[in-house]
Amino acid sequence: GAADTGLQLPGQAPAADGGAEPKAGQASAAETVTPGPAVTPEFQLHFVKASERGLWVCDSGSDPEILQGFIQRVMAAWYESVVFMNKVPGFRWPFIASRNQDQSEPVALQALTAQWQVLRPQGSEGYTIALGEDAAHWLKRIGVTPQVCLPDLASLQSSAEAKRCLWLALQSIYTL
């Protein structure tokens, strides 16, 4: 624990030796505790615009082309026309495989925030639906609260409870 290394945690009494300098041959705490390299997160998101108001964000666990077909069927039930972009915008982190570029989480969040500003639903009635744990996690990390967070598309299609959550979320959105 911390007592073994000579480090003092907040609220912990000082070591019995009074924090004396290390003996010859021993490393000081500052020498033994060195930060490791910044961890590069790895994730991929796809942004499927379902309407002027709605954006569905899925992670790598869902195929965006299959998701478009699912969205088409769901939105038809709400008599909402859907016009998809020719190519589903994606966001992959890291952008490039490089040890020389800072690709730490703060940089990933900054890049994702910039992408979000371009793609986010406009207006006060805009909504976001997250499909997959990564999609929900990274949206929340940039301050976006999806109206509903669902499992990946395959799980959503096979779960009556997940479909019910989606339906109730859409019902609250479209009955405003």
Side-chain angles (χ1 to χ4, degrees), residues 98-175:
S98 171
R99 292 186 199 145
N100 300 329
Q101 300 294 320
D102 181 2
Q103 297 188 46
S104 62
E105 184 172 322
V107 177
L109 293 172
Q110 184 179 23
L112 182 57
T113 299
Q115 178 89 0
W116 176 255
Q117 294 303 319
V118 172
L119 297 171
R120 68 186 171 92
Q122 302 298 315
S124 61
E125 295 181 358
Y127 68 89
T128 304
I129 295 174
L131 275 88
E133 288 181 23
D134 277 354
H137 170 79
W138 290 105
L139 287 172
K140 289 176 183 176
R141 293 286 289 132
I142 62 169
V144 175
T145 304
Q147 274 63 26
V148 65
C149 297
L150 300 165
D152 62 85
L153 183 58
S155 299
L156 171 61
Q157 290 177 312
S158 65
S159 166
E161 184 175 334
K163 287 178 190 172
R164 183 175 170 5
C165 287
L166 172 61
W167 191 257
L168 292 173
L170 290 172
Q171 189 173 30
S172 70
I173 291 165
Y174 283 99
T175 56

Side-chain angles (χ1 to χ4, degrees), residues 78-92:
W78 291 101
Y79 304 103
E80 183 83 22
S81 63
V82 178
V83 178
F84 296 116
M85 297 177 176
N86 288 335
K87 185 172 187 252
V88 174
F91 181 88
R92 181 176 54 96

Side-chain angles (χ1 to χ4, degrees), residues 16-28:
D17 66 0
E21 293 291 292
K23 297 179 178 115
Q26 286 184 323
S28 70

